[in-house]
Amino acid sequence: MNRYDRQISLPEIGKAGQEKLRNAKVLIVGVGGLGSPIAFYLAGAGVGTLGLVDNDKVSISNLQRQVWYTEADVGDSKPLCCAHRVLGLNSTIKVEAYPFRLDKKNAGELIKDYDIVVDGCDNFTTRYLLNDTCNALSKPYVYGAIQGFEGQVSVFCCGEGAKTYRDLYPDEEGTLLMPSPDKSVIGVTPAIVSSVETNEVLKLICGYGEALAGKLWTIDLRTMQSYILSL
């Protein structure tokens, strides 16, 4: 247990919380700018089982912000590469790599085996799918999104009467017709937003603090202004 001494000493976690972490199963959909650091911090915290879903390969343009990958990884499958690195950090956990895209055919089968689903993706279609599947299966969905210097995080489908992604973006048809979001981003934006997402996962597992259920946390790194809005 020396590995986890620093967090076990926190009264919000303790030995009981560490056991909850060991027994937890978390699915991360997208292991790029948001998902890869989430995977590493959850592995470092001792989350017992991680699932990594992504059909993408590492490219040189990823390295500006996806710092867990290296030049030697360019061309390799992101989930397979991330799983290898995560196990190098913590060999006591279990990691499942799914090198394919989440879709309507496989979402239910994948998500049903996990306790919490975390959003590391970058498109509206996948987020609506995550939301609806998690809502149907009563699985908490930790949402995160970034653009430029801005980011936002919320927790959906968490408890009876909980808010969902559709409360944030109710017009699915109109949302999907919008132009694809600008991909411009500074490297530290996903670092900060992914850390907040990770903290929400740890709160849900260990039961400390107050989750962002029914709320939307936002930050603008140009001004460091941060808000929590009620949905």
Side-chain angles (χ1 to χ4, degrees), residues 32-210:
L34 291 173
S36 56
I38 291 169
F40 276 82
Y41 278 114
L42 291 180
V47 171
T49 302
L50 295 177
L52 311 176
V53 184
D54 203 315
N55 68 332
D56 200 10
K57 298 183 185 300
V58 179
S59 68
I60 196 71
S61 64
N62 296 151
L63 305 185
Q64 165 254 5
R65 63 202 176 280
Q66 299 176 29
V67 296
W68 300 107
Y69 302 119
T70 70
E71 292 179 356
D73 300 320
V74 171
D76 292 343
S77 164
K78 284 186 180 178
L80 294 176
C81 181
C82 188
H84 176 73
R85 293 285 170 77
V86 164
L87 287 171
L89 173 69
N90 190 345
S91 62
T92 71
I93 68 170
K94 181 179 180 181
V95 182
E96 298 284 356
Y98 305 104
F100 49 79
R101 189 177 186 85
L102 190 84
D103 58 29
K104 291 182 179 180
K105 294 180 180 179
N106 60 36
E109 281 300 305
L110 273 178
I111 290 173
K112 71 179 179 61
D113 293 329
Y114 289 86
D115 305 316
I116 299 170
V117 177
V118 191
D119 184 352
C121 66
D122 60 0
N123 66 87
F124 296 121
T125 300
T126 303
R127 288 183 176 128
Y128 279 111
L129 176 59
L130 284 176
N131 176 82
D132 295 347
T133 308
C134 288
N135 199 31
L137 295 174
S138 300
K139 307 283 187 176
Y141 164 33
V142 178
Y143 156 77
I146 56 171
Q147 184 178 30
F149 297 88
E150 301 175 13
Q152 54 185 224
V153 176
S154 187
V155 177
F156 299 126
C157 312
C158 188
E160 187 175 351
K163 298 294 185 179
T164 76
Y165 185 69
R166 292 184 179 276
D167 291 297
L168 184 60
Y169 293 104
D171 183 5
E172 179 179 2
E173 182 177 356
T175 300
L176 295 179
L177 287 174
M178 292 193 304
S180 297
D182 184 1
K183 300 292 187 181
S184 302
V185 67
I186 191 172
V188 296
T189 305
I192 292 169
V193 174
S194 64
S195 295
V196 175
E197 286 188 83
T198 304
N199 187 47
E200 291 304 303
V201 176
L202 297 178
K203 286 195 290 185
L204 290 172
I205 295 171
C206 296
Y208 67 84
E210 184 178 335

Side-chain angles (χ1 to χ4, degrees), residues 16-27:
Q18 194 61 52
E19 184 67 11
K20 292 177 182 178
L21 290 169
R22 186 179 72 85
N23 292 324
K25 298 180 179 180
V26 178
L27 182 69

